[in-house]
Amino acid sequence: MTIAEDKKITEADRNADSFEHYDPIKQAVHLRPKNKDNIHERFESTDPPKKWEVSKNKRVAAILKDRRLQFLLILPNQIVFWVVIVLGIAGTADPMLNFGTTITWFLWFCLVFVMMAVIGRAWCSMCPFGGFAEWLQRRTFWQRTQKTLGLGKKFPEPLARWGFLLSVVSFLILTWIEEFFNIAGPGSPWETSYMVIGIVTAAVAFFLVFERRTFCRYICPLSALIGSVGAMGSVAGFRTKDRDVCMDCKTKDCMRGSEEGFGCPWYTWPGSADSNLSCGLCSECYKACPSDNVGLFLQPPLTSVIAPKRRRADIALSVLLLWGLVIYQQVNATNVFASLDNWLTNKTGIHYPNPIDYVGVIVIVALITGALILAAGFAFGKKNLDSYKESQPVLATPQKSLLSKHPKALAFLLPISYGLIPVVGADYLARQLPKFFQHVLSLIPAVGAWFGHGSAKSSFYTKAILGVPQIVAVQIAVIGIGTLASLWAMNKIFNRDLKPVSRSSAALRISSFAIILACGVGASVLYFIMHAAN
């Protein structure tokens, strides 16, 4: 049965138990009464300028409409990652000559962070993990199919309410495993292969049990990091051209799917999107929309950090935990931490990274940062926010959502945590630079090793692009840029979201700026102490 035939089904058929058999994609939209109250006012700050719609270009539009687009984006990475797996197991044991380890840890990881900061979820559109699993789920590489492989279950709502925090937990666990086995050291090449196999296996399992890209939205270790840091990016994603058209649309093909495209794999309705947070840039909504009301838009950098009027508690808490993790990765390169970890190892018998100090440092840093934010808010904010929370969307959170019972805490924690995103993103990028600048040239003999020409005698085997002092200088410069970006974003956020709830506007502004400066200075000092440790 075609989708066109499916639309001829009567209302009685829709209510019948058998209709689910004909539905090409299970309904992903919770139907509820339309609410157009203040809709244009709410999205005015987040909607990208009409002139920034790149899909207006006929060539770009033709590319986006081509069903082969995402397949062609994924295919090169798919080939590379299967090569990584094979060479990690069957290739040379020297990690500096093994293509799998060199491209993964010296090039790929650094490029992913660059893409996050500049574009947003660019990596998601070409990810080989989700791509491979989605090919299996859809039983096709690019054609629009009617039947999928797997159980197609919905993700349990109690878990979905945790949002990005599930992804953060996955990232913390994967990072601990990587540190424990020194996989990214780089350690033994086969360890990198098994880690990649593990991620692919987890993705396939989730794709075959749950519908669409449940794994990518909730479980993928990089999803929260890309979603939060990607808010700095200059790609707004696929958005509605006219919000009234989306509101009045009867079919919601962008979510349900049509003959031309699948329903959004990320459960993101263009009609309510106010950031690039959950747009995987797959173009399915663009293909499926019968009204040509979806376009691919650019936006000024940091727009998705500053502009959203409805901020999410899970993102704020994710930013704090991710900040704790990157600070841990810096602290663990110091002599003081080495002494603490050795002491814990002797006491517990668990070698580095001891889970006690691993979790402890992350949680303590997150709690201290969060406590400073709340202390500033409660000290210099208004005592009573009841009248404010009824009128301002910044305090609106989904029913039963995390921290929704504490609107005063949210009034300060959410805006300032969003303001930290640029400095946190800069810190993650800076943390990858030593491996890149010191070892990326080893890719040359690693590729040569395929053909019997690469060896440890190659001048590129140990050749660095920059020396240690220069690397430290670049790291501190990156943190400086991130700190300035955070201060600029915080100023914009403060004027709209925090000034109305301030009892002492100047004091709260200074406090929020001081928190960002403390984070930037602290990270810079740690890079100086670490001396380009990788």
Side-chain angles (χ1 to χ4, degrees):
M1 174 178 285
T2 67
I3 293 180
E5 293 171 333
D6 174 57
K7 289 183 177 179
K8 298 177 182 177
I9 294 176
T10 66
E11 188 64 25
D13 290 328
R14 290 182 182 278
N15 295 329
D17 293 337
S18 61
F19 176 66
E20 185 177 15
H21 172 73
Y22 299 111
D23 200 351
I25 297 180
K26 291 186 177 181
Q27 179 78 355
V29 183
H30 293 293
L31 298 179
R32 53 184 178 269
K34 289 186 293 185
N35 182 6
K36 290 188 176 182
D37 295 343
N38 301 319
I39 185 170
H40 294 290
E41 179 183 346
R42 176 190 161 186
F43 292 102
E44 182 180 7
S45 62
T46 61
D47 283 342
K50 300 294 184 183
K51 62 182 180 181
W52 287 32
E53 182 196 345
V54 296
S55 52
K56 288 192 299 185
N57 181 283
K58 291 183 179 181
R59 292 184 179 179
V60 174
I63 292 172
L64 294 176
K65 287 290 187 181
D66 194 326
R67 286 226 53 86
R68 298 169 296 178
L69 172 61
Q70 194 169 26
F71 169 77
L72 294 174
L73 288 174
I74 294 171
L75 183 61
N77 289 311
Q78 193 69 240
I79 294 172
V80 170
F81 270 76
W82 283 110
V83 169
V84 167
I85 291 173
V86 172
L87 292 182
I89 296 173
T92 176
D94 184 346
M96 301 297 293
L97 281 179
N98 190 292
F99 177 80
T101 51
T102 53
I103 195 170
T104 301
W105 303 117
F106 301 156
L107 180 62
W108 170 75
F109 217 55
C110 188
L111 289 180
V112 166
F113 284 101
V114 173
M115 285 192 288
M116 288 183 206
V118 177
I119 300 176
R121 284 196 178 272
W123 173 250
C124 298
S125 67
M126 59 185 74
C127 173
F129 307 123
F132 179 74
E134 192 170 62
W135 294 345
L136 293 178
Q137 183 194 64
R138 293 177 175 177
R139 303 194 301 182
T140 180
F141 289 122
W142 63 76
Q143 292 92 345
R144 173 65 172 100
T145 55
Q146 297 292 328
K147 295 182 179 180
T148 59
L149 180 65
L151 303 179
K153 292 185 175 295
K154 294 186 180 298
F155 196 56
E157 189 173 344
L159 291 176
R161 290 192 191 121
W162 289 91
F164 274 177
L165 289 173
L166 297 178
S167 171
V168 172
V169 171
S170 295
F171 189 49
L172 295 180
I173 293 173
L174 186 64
T175 302
W176 185 85
I177 293 172
E178 179 273 310
E179 294 275 1
F180 188 85
F181 292 102
N182 191 33
I183 298 174
S188 174
W190 65 264
E191 292 174 334
T192 295
S193 294
Y194 288 156
M195 187 193 73
V196 174
I197 291 172
I199 296 173
V200 172
T201 302
V204 169
F206 269 85
F207 270 75
L208 294 182
V209 173
F210 298 103
E211 62 179 355
R212 310 196 187 193
R213 283 187 175 246
T214 293
F215 174 82
C216 302
R217 173 146 184 164
Y218 297 108
I219 306 299
C220 172
L222 287 178
S223 187
L225 188 61
I226 295 178
S228 55
V229 173
M232 297 189 291
S234 57
V235 175
F238 287 91
R239 301 284 192 89
T240 180
K241 299 177 185 178
D242 186 338
R243 208 167 295 278
D244 287 326
V245 173
C246 280
M247 293 292 290
D248 295 331
C249 178
K250 303 297 184 184
T251 61
K252 299 293 188 294
D253 287 348
C254 60
M255 297 300 290
R256 289 177 60 88
S258 71
E259 287 184 334
E260 304 301 325
F262 290 91
C264 176
W266 290 78
Y267 318 99
T268 300
W269 184 40
S272 62
D274 60 357
S275 72
N276 61 4
L277 177 71
S278 298
C279 179
L281 300 175
C282 67
S283 75
E284 293 295 347
C285 61
Y286 181 80
K287 294 178 173 71
C289 179
S291 305
D292 191 28
N293 194 45
V294 176
L296 177 61
F297 287 85
L298 301 179
Q299 64 183 7
L302 299 177
T303 296
S304 291
V305 174
I306 300 166
K309 290 187 176 181
R310 296 198 177 190
R311 305 190 187 278
R312 288 173 38 175
D314 64 315
I315 295 175
L317 296 179
S318 295
V319 169
L320 295 179
L321 288 171
L322 291 170
W323 171 242
L325 174 58
V326 72
I327 290 298
Y328 165 83
Q329 291 179 324
Q330 293 177 264
V331 169
N332 73 359
T334 64
N335 292 331
V336 173
F337 180 86
S339 299
L340 172 63
D341 195 72
N342 289 334
W343 180 80
L344 282 171
T345 297
N346 293 331
K347 293 293 183 181
T348 63
I350 303 175
H351 73 73
Y352 169 86
N354 193 290
I356 297 174
D357 54 30
Y358 177 75
V359 175
V361 171
I362 294 170
V363 171
I364 288 172
V365 171
L367 287 176
I368 290 176
T369 308
L372 289 173
I373 293 172
L374 293 178
F378 281 91
F380 306 116
K382 290 181 178 178
K383 298 296 184 183
N384 189 344
L385 299 183
D386 289 340
S387 60
Y388 179 80
K389 72 181 181 181
E390 292 173 0
S391 61
Q392 297 298 319
V394 68
L395 295 177
T397 53
Q399 189 178 21
K400 298 181 181 179
S401 70
L402 199 62
L403 294 181
S404 62
K405 296 181 180 179
H406 305 280
K408 188 171 183 179
L410 287 176
F412 305 109
L413 184 66
L414 268 60
I416 298 178
S417 294
Y418 269 68
L420 285 171
I421 288 175
V423 72
V424 173
D427 204 0
Y428 271 93
L429 174 57
R431 189 69 188 92
Q432 313 310 315
L433 294 179
K435 279 192 174 74
F436 176 80
F437 286 125
Q438 291 178 334
H439 304 301
V440 72
L441 292 179
S442 64
L443 261 171
I444 296 173
V447 172
W450 289 11
F451 308 101
H453 299 299
S455 73
K457 295 180 181 180
S458 169
S459 60
F460 294 107
Y461 183 79
T462 57
K463 187 176 181 62
I465 296 176
L466 294 178
V468 168
Q470 290 77 28
I471 293 173
V472 174
V474 173
Q475 287 178 307
I476 294 175
V478 168
I479 293 296
I481 294 171
T483 303
L484 290 175
S486 274
L487 290 172
W488 183 83
M490 191 69 254
N491 186 59
K492 294 286 187 180
I493 292 171
F494 185 92
N495 290 335
R496 191 191 70 192
D497 297 343
L498 291 177
K499 194 172 183 179
V501 296
S502 300
R503 191 160 42 87
S504 174
S505 179
L508 186 56
R509 187 189 298 269
I510 292 172
S511 299
S512 59
F513 284 12
I515 291 170
I516 290 173
L517 280 172
C519 291
V521 172
S524 297
V525 170
L526 283 172
Y527 281 122
F528 183 78
I529 295 173
M530 290 165 59
H531 206 54
N534 56 32

